[in-house]
Amino acid sequence: MKLSIGCIPGDGIGPEIVAEAKKVLNKVAQVYGHEIAYTDILMGGASIDVHGVPLTEEAIAAARGSDAVLMGSIGGNTVTSPWYRLAPNLRPEAGLLGLRKALNLFANLRPAVLYDELADACPLKKEISAAGFDMMIMRELTGGLYFGERYTTQEGGLRRAVDTLAYDEKEIRRIAIKGFDIAMKRRKKVTSVDKANVLDSSRLWRQVVEEVAADYPEVALEHMLVDNCAMQLVKDPAQFDVILTENMFGDILSDEASMVTGSIGMLASASLNDTKFGLYEPSHGSAPDIAGKGIANPIATILSAAMMLRYSFDLDAEAGAIEGAVKAVLKKGYRTVDIMSEGCVQAGCKEMGDLLADEIR
Ligand code: IPM
Ligand code: MG
């Protein structure tokens, strides 16, 4: 099969981790007889440095012209980087939001899994983590507060800022359908998370999710308020299968869920639209403090590449091979510094990429 993959190395550790993901993908292509053509795409700070803006029309066109896009991470230190002295719409993050919107990537899938081998890294008490967990956070990605009207005014010497949280039923329905579809392939439980005790947008969310649920009689649906969900994630994470939620709640809960795994450097993500196209990136950020040191954990990006093979190319065996390689390398005791524990062998970013590529035979 011919795979045309757009690559956004991005900023910070992005270029290092994407290089390792390509190494692993190339090995997969070699073993399984595929042909990959990569197109490098500038986005975020890297694009600002060259073009003065975080996302160009050419970059959008290049992403659109690919079957799927693999991304590292974007952004820099928000205090010290000159990128953050630019107007908000010219900062690195605006590039990512612009790309999500331009490509209509409304469904963001963020799996949070507790790996047996890394159970010690889980910050929860043993009696809670012993049950293990494996959840999929489905975050709506192109609506809500992130894309509502916003402005800052000054009235009578008083500064005032407004952000708007709006959803229409179409936006809710399409992410809900994706959530239930994915639940059907998992443990058939959806927890829809909202703030329906306060927000109108959440009350509509709840209604539309109920309507969609009627088409999925096999899936158990429950509603949970977002503040309670934040609590339940540390109290009993094993209860969750699919968490379905709006943009900002999903942003916050997915960081919390990743922390609970104890290994944010391991967590992949996929952003999908209604076609086979997807943008795949690690759930973590660009970690500018460790950029260039060769110690970043490339596994989240490599697992994102596995999600890409599965969701955009239907190459389940190849995706499984990557996931199996990750488990095998962990079992052999290799760890990057972020997941290091006693008795294990420390590996740098490149070395981890080599070990994983070697496992694919
Ligand atoms: C994420 C990030 C982004 C978001 C930022 C970089 C704009 O936190 O992907 O979760 O808030 O969506
Ligand atoms: Mg986030």
Side-chain angles (χ1 to χ4, degrees):
M1 181 172 182
K2 282 202 160 112
L3 287 62
S4 145
I5 299 175
C7 262
I8 304 179
D11 310 318
I13 58 171
E16 300 163 52
I17 54 184
V18 166
E20 298 317 306
K22 278 171 136 176
K23 189 186 280 172
V24 172
L25 278 172
N26 290 340
K27 184 68 185 292
V28 167
Q30 186 196 320
V31 171
Y32 289 84
H34 302 298
E35 205 179 299
I36 306 182
Y38 298 100
T39 310
D40 268 333
I41 301 172
L42 282 182
M43 209 253 284
S47 172
I48 297 174
D49 290 345
V50 176
H51 300 294
V53 291
L55 180 68
T56 59
E57 285 303 322
E58 296 78 68
I60 295 173
R64 222 178 239 133
S66 311
D67 298 326
V69 172
L70 181 67
M71 190 184 127
S73 48
I74 53 122
N77 183 310
T78 54
V79 178
T80 56
S81 164
W83 297 330
Y84 295 91
R85 293 198 282 276
L86 298 169
N89 64 335
L90 292 176
R91 293 179 194 170
E93 287 74 9
L96 180 57
L97 298 185
L99 191 65
R100 286 174 181 169
K101 196 70 176 179
L103 300 173
N104 197 26
L105 302 172
F106 63 85
N108 184 217
L109 282 58
R110 297 190 166 182
V113 180
L114 184 65
Y115 284 84
D116 288 345
E117 293 80 7
L118 302 181
D120 284 344
C122 175
L124 301 179
K125 283 194 188 137
K126 283 264 179 315
E127 57 263 36
I128 297 174
S129 65
F133 58 84
D134 175 355
M135 68 185 93
M136 177 70 89
I137 301 196
M138 299 278 311
R139 168 188 176 192
E140 198 291 327
L141 202 59
T142 52
L145 269 177
Y146 275 62
F147 293 94
E149 194 192 351
R150 75 175 94 256
Y151 55 86
T152 305
T153 55
Q154 185 141 15
E155 289 156 28
L158 200 63
R159 286 170 298 166
R160 185 161 185 274
V162 176
D163 295 283
T164 325
L165 200 184
Y167 272 106
D168 67 38
E169 59 179 304
K170 209 175 113 237
E171 290 173 302
I172 301 169
R173 187 165 290 113
R174 63 184 185 179
I175 182 75
I177 289 171
K178 280 245 196 252
F180 279 87
D181 282 344
I182 283 174
M184 283 298 288
K185 296 189 190 168
R186 296 175 47 100
R187 299 192 308 277
K188 299 195 171 70
K189 178 178 177 191
V190 169
T191 304
S192 174
V193 174
D194 61 38
K195 187 71 186 172
N197 53 347
V198 178
L199 303 176
D200 260 23
S201 56
S202 282
R203 287 187 273 267
L204 180 63
W205 181 277
R206 217 174 250 222
Q207 276 173 19
V208 176
V209 169
E210 292 273 354
E211 288 161 20
V212 171
D215 292 332
Y216 297 84
E218 284 176 58
V219 177
L221 167 67
E222 67 175 5
H223 300 285
M224 192 178 279
L225 296 174
V226 62
D227 45 355
N228 183 28
C229 183
M231 225 163 59
Q232 296 297 330
L233 276 171
V234 290
K235 189 168 164 243
D236 176 20
Q239 71 183 285
F240 295 110
D241 179 15
V242 172
I243 291 181
L244 172 66
T245 193
E246 65 92 47
N247 204 344
M248 194 171 75
F249 297 161
D251 179 43
I252 297 168
L253 294 175
S254 62
D255 264 28
E256 186 188 355
S258 69
M259 190 61 234
V260 169
T261 69
S263 44
I264 183 161
M266 302 284 300
L267 300 181
S269 87
S271 302
L272 309 175
N273 60 23
D274 263 331
T275 71
K276 280 277 166 194
F277 180 88
L279 171 73
Y280 300 84
E281 55 171 315
S283 282
H284 60 71
S286 61
D289 52 320
I290 60 161
K293 294 193 177 154
I295 58 170
N297 185 351
I299 296 179
T301 316
I302 290 165
L303 289 172
S304 301
M307 287 185 93
M308 174 172 76
L309 295 176
R310 177 168 288 123
Y311 290 107
S312 284
F313 298 105
D314 290 317
L315 296 174
D316 287 346
E318 288 82 339
I322 295 181
E323 289 154 357
V326 169
K327 291 214 176 92
V329 166
L330 291 177
K331 195 157 247 140
K332 288 183 180 169
Y334 294 104
R335 304 279 188 275
T336 44
V337 62
D338 56 307
I339 51 173
M340 187 61 190
S341 62
E342 235 182 87
C344 292
V345 186
Q346 195 164 319
C349 184
K350 277 208 169 73
E351 210 180 336
M352 187 50 92
D354 288 337
L355 287 163
L356 291 167
D358 280 349
E359 277 303 323
I360 293 161
R361 296 177 209 113

